[in-house]
C-alpha cells in the first residue's frame, strides 16, 4: 500500500502533467492562428504526450491502492511575443518539471518506496530526452535568426518532428 506522503507527491505531479498538457495546448492554439502550422502540430502532439504522462501516473497510483484525485488547473498564457519566446518558455518549463520529478523521486526513495522509485525512472529519462530535444530546437532558432525564411524552415521541421513521439526525434 502506498503511503499518504508518496500519494500526495504523486497527485501533485499528476497536476503538473495535466497543467503541462494545457500549457502546450495553449501554445499550439496560438501557433495555429499565427501561421505556424508545423509548430502547432508539434505542440498539439506534445500536449497529448503530457496527457499520457498524467494518465500513466494516475493508473500507477490507483493500481498501488492510492486514489488519484484530480486538482484545479490554472489558466495558461494566451499571449506570446514570438515563436522563439514560446520555445524559450518551454525549455524553462521543462527544467522546472525535471526539478519536480527529482523531488518526487527523492520523496519516494526517502520513504523507502522502492517500487515507486523504480517506476519514476521512466520519468527521469523522459525529462533528459525532453530537455535535450528543446535545447536542440532552441539552437536551431539561434541559427535561423528572425528571418522569415528561417522561421518557415523551422516550422516545416517541427511539422516533420511531430510524426513520431516528439522526444524520439533527435533534434541535432
Ligand atoms: Fe511530462 Fe514535458 O514532461
Amino acid at each position: 500500500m502506498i503511503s499518504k506522503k508518496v500519494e500526495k507527491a504523486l497527485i501533485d505531479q499528476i497536476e503538473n502533467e495535466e497543467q503541462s498538457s494545457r500549457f502546450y495546448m495553449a501554445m499550439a492554439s496560438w501557433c495555429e492562428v499565427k501561421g505556424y502550422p508545423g509548430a502547432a502540430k508539434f505542440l498539439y502532439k506534445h500536449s497529448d504526450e503530457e496527457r499520457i504522462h498524467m494518465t500513466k501516473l494516475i493508473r500507477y497510483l490507483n493500481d498501488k491502492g492510492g486514489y488519484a484525485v484530480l486538482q484545479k488547473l490554472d489558466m495558461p498564457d494566451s499571449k506570446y511575443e514570438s515563436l522563439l519566446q514560446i520555445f524559450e518558455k518551454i525549455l524553462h518549463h521543462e527544467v522546472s518539471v525535471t526539478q519536480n520529478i527529482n523531488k518526487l523521486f527523492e520523496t519516494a526513495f526517502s520513504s523507502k518506496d522502492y517500487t515507486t522509485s523504480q517506476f519514476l525512472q521512466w520519468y527521469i529519462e523522459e525529462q533528459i530526452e525532453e530537455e535535450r530535444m528543446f535545447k536542440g530546437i532552441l539552437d536551431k532558432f539561434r541559427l535561423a535568426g528572425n528571418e522569415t525564411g528561417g522561421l518557415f524552415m523551422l516550422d516545416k521541421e517541427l511539422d516533420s518532428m511531430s510524426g513520431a513521439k516528439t522526444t524520439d526525434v533527435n533534434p541535432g
Side-chain angles (χ1 to χ4, degrees):
M1 188 76 175
I2 210 147
S3 72
K4 282 289 157 203
K5 189 176 175 190
V6 174
E7 180 183 57
K8 163 81 174 65
L10 286 166
I11 288 173
D12 286 348
Q13 189 55 31
I14 290 164
E15 181 186 346
N16 289 337
E17 301 288 354
E18 194 172 14
Q19 195 68 55
S20 287
S21 180
R22 301 198 90 195
F23 174 82
Y24 287 109
M25 185 67 81
M27 289 171 166
S29 178
W30 185 89
C31 289
E32 193 161 49
V33 300
K34 295 291 177 183
Y36 299 113
K41 191 171 157 196
F42 175 87
L43 293 168
Y44 280 130
K45 179 87 192 306
H46 205 80
S47 172
D48 289 346
E49 282 178 21
E50 298 298 348
R51 196 170 175 285
I52 291 168
H53 298 174
M54 169 185 75
T55 310
K56 217 172 146 80
L57 284 162
I58 290 173
R59 301 200 67 182
Y60 173 80
L61 176 54
N62 290 342
D63 184 56
K64 294 291 173 253
Y67 178 30
V69 178
L70 298 191
Q71 307 296 303
K72 196 172 166 189
L73 299 178
D74 299 332
M75 188 176 168
D77 287 343
S78 58
K79 291 189 174 70
Y80 306 96
E81 285 164 20
S82 63
L83 199 54
L84 171 63
Q85 191 207 29
I86 282 187
F87 280 90
E88 284 171 344
K89 278 179 183 280
I90 289 174
L91 182 59
H92 189 259
H93 175 75
E94 288 301 338
V95 168
S96 81
V97 174
T98 300
Q99 287 165 356
N100 292 336
I101 295 285
N102 290 345
K103 233 186 279 167
L104 174 56
F105 178 87
E106 178 58 31
T107 301
F109 198 78
S110 63
S111 307
K112 297 190 165 46
D113 183 340
Y114 303 122
T115 310
T116 300
S117 307
Q118 176 68 25
F119 167 78
L120 291 172
Q121 287 295 335
W122 183 87
Y123 286 83
I124 292 172
E125 281 161 29
E126 183 73 10
Q127 284 312 120
I128 294 169
E129 281 184 41
E130 289 201 2
E131 282 193 33
R132 185 187 299 132
M133 175 179 70
F134 288 119
K135 274 187 193 125
I137 293 171
L138 274 175
D139 285 345
K140 287 183 179 176
F141 264 107
R142 276 179 211 115
L143 287 173
N146 269 333
E147 305 295 320
T148 312
L151 285 176
F152 179 76
M153 290 304 292
L154 207 50
D155 189 62
K156 275 190 96 66
E157 190 161 339
L158 287 167
D159 183 298
S160 69
M161 286 173 78
S162 43
K165 176 178 176 293
T166 57
T167 47
D168 280 347
V169 179
N170 180 354

